[in-house]
Amino acid sequence: MIFVKSEEEIDLMREPNRIVRDCLGFVEKNIAAGMTTGDVDALVYSFIKDNGAEPSCLGYCGYPASACISVNDTVVHGIPGDRVIEEGDIVSVDLCAYKNGFHGDGARTFRIGKVSAERDKLVRVTEECFFKGIEGLKAGAPLYDIGYRVQRHAEANGFSVIRAYTGHGIGREMHEDPSVPNFGRRGTGVRLPSGCVICVEPMIACGTWRVKVLPDGWTAVTQDGKSAAHYENTVVVREDGVEILTL
Ligand code: MF3
Ligand code: CO
């Protein structure tokens, strides 16, 4: 069931989402070659705590960290640890904060120093896919129009859309209905109601869209070892358009 949030509830969601936005900005300023992914996770943990929120990911289904940190061929759910971030890497940081009884969720992919032309384009196109996805989005729009537009933009640029993971509704729970795929047929799916809050999060790969999950049970990598990127915002659907809570 898709929950419709009242204006009061949306107001309560602003703060956790602002913290997600600011935390991603803080990571962007501080992330650098030579740090480990665990170092980045520690920054995320303390930033969220210092802002009076809880890192929603920590302990979620047994997940052991505050952020998902996914380097190069890791698509999503990379577990932070002692991997050293290197010049030329692309690093996706996905994090959630819980405050006021609600969750906020966002992700960015950061370029570390000078990256290859292919990785540079991938990061740019993945971000563009988010904005294509929400183009024209407003109450009454068919859900799969989002994925249709994401997929069209990704594939027009020679990239592929990850199928195994999707965006989602968000609110009092980190994952609510509906599931928001990054692919689909135009004009299909439920009509999104005004006041629903969803995470639109393109995950785009240079090569195959097929992934495998490593034995840790979380880390999803591309089967061909080529790079992937991720970009996510929490979005309110309104009568006349959308309001992005994490920008
Ligand atoms: N932010 C992620 C999402 O969009 C949450 C990852 S689940 C976790 O679904 F357990 F890894 F935290
Ligand atoms: Co999400």
Side-chain angles (χ1 to χ4, degrees), residues 94 96 105-106 166-168 170 174-175 199 201 230 232:
D94 183 4
C96 299
D105 187 359
T166 67
H168 50 91
I170 188 168
M174 188 164 67
H175 293 148
C199 293
E201 48 178 319
H230 185 194
E232 173 180 22

Side-chain angles (χ1 to χ4, degrees), residues 147-180:
Y148 167 77
R149 288 189 297 260
V150 168
Q151 181 175 24
R152 194 177 50 172
H153 189 65
E155 292 177 356
N157 280 281
F159 297 139
S160 71
V161 166
I162 301 298
R163 312 285 205 270
Y165 301 90
T166 67
H168 50 91
I170 188 168
R172 296 188 188 276
E173 303 292 336
M174 188 164 67
H175 293 148
E176 297 181 354
D177 281 344
S179 173
V180 183

Side-chain angles (χ1 to χ4, degrees), residues 192-215:
L192 291 167
S194 183
C196 76
V197 184
I198 57 175
C199 293
V200 176
E201 48 178 319
M203 290 155 262
I204 307 297
C206 285
T208 183
W209 51 266
R210 292 175 194 278
V211 301
K212 64 175 182 226
V213 176
L214 298 187

